[in-house]
Amino acid sequence: DLERIQLGYTFSDRLTTWVGRFHAPYGNWNTAYHHGAEIQTSITRPRFIDFEDKGGLLPAHVMGAWATGDVPIGSAKLTYDLYVGNGNAIVGVGDVIVPGNRGYLTINNARDSNNNTLVGANVGYKRGGMVVGVHGFSQRVNIEDNSSPIVVDLGEVSVKMAGLYGAYEDDNWEGLAEYYRFKNDDLKLAGTSNSSWLGFAQLGYAVGNKWMPYARLEKATLNQEDPYFSYQAYGVSYQREVVGARYMLNAKAALKLEANRTREGDGVPATGSDNGSYKEVRAQYSIRF
């Protein structure tokens, strides 16, 4: 499963350009941690920004072009990202192995389903260990039932996201927060517009130079009249509380223990649950190289 393949050129600190398949530069988490389990404090990513093949609701990757850079402002920096790429599609609707016979997001590596380009931007202010910013993207997403040899077109949604994010890190504290607001238009039902939002906040505190206990709250309020969410397997409103701890064995290896509780407010029940609520415990040994 090829996750990223990029070719880039750095003109200066103010401008680097990339083409290929890259991580979508919205918020802070998606480009700060990539797939590096040891790099991030927690074991899991927030559910709604997980990778597409794990039920994420946003495109974690983009196939296209990306310009990024830093512009000095005194002792701080203005950071920016501008990117374009193939629009996404929701596929797998009707597939019995997907929860609720819903589908999942695909980024369309080879082609854009509807010739409508995904366009996004991210502007941040960075000073020391703090960064705050605004982000957004827009695209048109096709919804396809491809559970049989004949693909059935179920609709098309104009997806528009805008939001805020922030991160802070020093010798002891680590804080992350991201907010996403969606205003989507159902193009199959002309004039139908639906609003939804998602967000998370995570806080950790270093105890000595080995331990980092942390906690995270995730919440999503998703309009089930919006096909963009109602046709995705995990496109339901939910709240998740996460607690855990990371122990650094050395500079390149960590042990982690994490527990969470998830409650879903509408839509299909969670996988393996008959009431939309479940608990999980995970352990992880991770290394960097």
Side-chain angles (χ1 to χ4, degrees), residues 45-265:
R45 295 163 64 99
R47 189 174 90 170
F48 63 83
I49 60 167
D50 211 339
F51 302 114
E52 299 92 351
D53 55 3
K54 294 184 178 179
L57 303 179
L58 284 74
H61 304 84
V62 174
M63 178 63 79
W66 171 22
T68 182
D70 300 332
V71 179
I73 304 177
S75 60
K77 292 181 179 180
L78 180 70
T79 66
Y80 74 90
D81 300 280
L82 301 171
Y83 57 102
V84 296
N86 289 345
N88 303 154
I90 296 172
V91 298
V93 179
D95 190 334
V96 295
I97 68 171
V98 177
N101 291 345
R102 296 183 176 204
Y104 56 91
L105 202 63
T106 180
I107 71 163
N108 284 328
N109 286 323
R111 64 179 182 86
D112 192 323
S113 297
N114 52 25
N115 297 316
N116 187 273
T117 305
L118 181 153
V119 178
N122 184 341
V123 179
Y125 176 82
K126 186 174 184 179
R127 182 168 184 171
M130 178 198 74
V131 60
V132 294
V134 296
H135 57 179
F137 65 74
S138 68
Q139 62 169 326
R140 289 188 179 184
V141 175
N142 276 16
I143 302 168
E144 302 172 357
D145 180 349
N146 54 1
S147 58
S148 64
I150 300 176
V151 177
V152 179
D153 182 8
L154 299 175
E156 187 177 9
V157 183
S158 173
V159 177
K160 295 179 286 295
M161 183 280 290
L164 309 168
Y165 66 92
Y168 177 77
E169 185 175 2
D170 63 16
D171 292 338
N172 296 107
W173 291 99
E174 178 187 82
L176 303 161
E178 297 183 9
Y179 172 78
Y180 301 78
R181 184 81 183 184
F182 283 82
K183 186 174 178 59
N184 298 342
D185 296 323
D186 185 344
L187 301 180
K188 188 173 183 179
L189 298 175
T192 303
S193 182
N194 301 289
S195 297
S196 300
W197 67 270
L198 316 93
F200 77 87
Q202 178 173 304
L203 185 65
Y205 183 78
V207 180
N209 59 0
K210 295 288 188 180
W211 287 96
M212 172 73 83
Y214 60 90
R216 183 172 75 235
L217 175 64
E218 307 170 29
K219 189 173 179 64
T221 300
L222 307 180
N223 190 331
Q224 293 303 290
E225 298 298 319
D226 184 346
Y228 180 76
F229 294 113
S230 64
Y231 276 109
Q232 292 197 59
Y234 294 99
V236 295
S237 299
Y238 80 97
Q239 179 170 309
R240 172 175 287 178
E241 301 93 22
V242 180
V243 294
R246 181 180 68 177
Y247 178 75
M248 296 301 298
L249 295 169
N250 55 53
K252 293 187 176 182
L255 286 173
K256 305 178 192 178
L257 181 66
E258 181 175 296
N260 70 60
R261 178 180 67 173
T262 303
R263 291 167 290 175
E264 296 186 338

